[in-house]
Amino acid sequence: QKHVTPHVYSFSAAISACDKGGQWQKALDLLAELQHADLAPTMVTYSAVIAACWRSSKCEALLHLTSTMLQTASDGFEAENYDHAFQAGSVLDCFKHAVLVCLLQEATADATPFTYIDTHAGRGIYDLDSENALQRNNSIFGISQVLGKCHRSTCTAIERYLEAIRRFNEHTVHTVGRPSMRHYLGSPCLAWMWLRPQDRAIVFELRETVHAALQRSLEKSPAHCEVDIRCENSYAALLGETSHDGFGGRGLVLIDPPYEPYTLYMASNLLMLKRLHLKWPSC
């Protein structure tokens, strides 16, 4: 019998097989064995163990693993190549942003300042005539339909949301020359329209190119409050032991990652919600 030298790739493959077979405890045992062999688990390794625990609904193990992963292998999120331009103005965007406006209206009804945090801010402003946006044309079935059919709404939040989109597009035309909506506002730029001088915004975007685009968006749609645009991993930043020292009072946190891979981001979201509830109950 030939001896097989332990390697992180072989462990990851075995753990992935445990996930497919529903063997969550064996996946945890293999992770412990890997660490005992002085090997460092990768994001792929953690993702496989998290998926196994997720499949078997082992929530406590899931949250513990996610916390450990973010402390030791958080740089793995930098490999994400997702660009929200493909989904800008989609049905999901319309729903999410209408809810966001509803929450912003509620927050600004009180004169007390609050902090707005966006964990995955994206570009801020999306050109619907761009190559990426036109590749799937999701806005045709989303914001274009809502604008075309919802001339008056009994819901104030939806009316204000659509008003903000229309106002930003007042002087824009499509490249083909017909007057229409060309730009779609992402969550940070929508939020800046509601934030007041006494409020502040902290927005995260990990990818450097998208982060640069977000900074340019701020110039096109200036905020009336203090804005901190950070090019870093929001999970690692917000889940750190001292991350909430500067946070206090009221807060609104939008968590909307790309969900690729789904279980990894969902586990991170659940951990984030748990920590925020404990450390910042007023948000």
Side-chain angles (χ1 to χ4, degrees), residues 28-215:
L28 289 173
D29 293 342
L30 285 170
L31 177 63
E33 189 177 335
L34 180 152
Q35 293 169 320
H36 184 71
D38 291 328
L39 296 172
T42 65
M43 284 286 287
V44 173
T45 312
Y46 277 117
S47 294
V49 184
I50 287 170
C53 292
W54 179 277
R55 190 187 298 271
S56 300
S57 301
K58 301 300 176 181
C59 295
E60 288 304 318
L62 182 76
L63 295 177
H64 175 73
L65 278 168
T66 306
S67 178
T68 303
M69 175 197 70
L70 291 171
Q71 293 174 28
T72 60
S74 60
D75 285 347
F77 280 104
E78 293 180 3
E80 182 56 61
N81 292 318
Y82 173 82
D83 189 340
H84 190 70
F86 291 105
Q87 297 291 338
S90 65
V91 173
L92 293 176
D93 259 4
C94 292
F95 174 76
K96 173 181 67 178
H97 291 144
V99 172
L100 174 61
V101 169
C102 186
L103 295 172
L104 287 166
Q105 287 191 154
E106 181 71 19
T108 53
D110 187 330
T112 309
F114 74 99
T115 299
Y116 170 77
I117 295 179
D118 198 326
T119 61
H120 298 80
R123 297 178 180 274
I125 299 173
Y126 296 90
D127 185 350
L128 298 180
D129 279 347
S130 68
E131 182 180 351
N132 285 349
L134 290 173
Q135 186 172 328
R136 297 181 185 175
N137 256 339
N138 281 307
S139 63
I140 291 179
F141 307 101
I143 189 61
S144 293
Q145 292 288 321
V146 178
L147 283 170
K149 297 181 179 180
C150 192
H151 300 291
R152 296 193 64 181
S153 173
T154 55
C155 177
T156 306
I158 293 177
E159 199 164 302
R160 293 289 305 279
Y161 156 60
L162 296 179
E163 179 186 328
I165 299 293
R166 290 191 184 101
R167 188 166 65 247
F168 189 83
N169 282 276
E170 280 178 346
H171 304 293
T172 62
V173 294
H174 272 280
T175 52
V176 294
R178 58 183 174 86
S180 185
M181 186 196 70
R182 174 169 178 173
H183 296 103
Y184 185 78
L185 297 177
S187 51
C189 285
L190 271 175
W192 294 336
M193 290 183 169
W194 269 263
L195 297 178
R196 307 154 301 179
Q198 65 265 39
D199 305 320
R200 67 168 178 161
I202 303 173
V203 297
F204 294 87
E205 178 48 55
L206 188 56
R207 295 182 63 197
E208 291 183 1
T209 54
V210 179
H211 176 264
L214 178 59
Q215 290 181 310

Side-chain angles (χ1 to χ4, degrees), residues 64 67-68 70-71 234-247 271 275-276 278-280:
H64 175 73
S67 178
T68 303
L70 291 171
Q71 293 174 28
S234 58
Y235 292 120
L238 295 175
L239 291 172
E241 291 300 320
T242 60
S243 63
H244 295 278
D245 289 349
F247 300 160
L271 181 62
R275 293 284 181 85
L276 286 173
L278 292 172
K279 292 189 173 185
W280 196 12

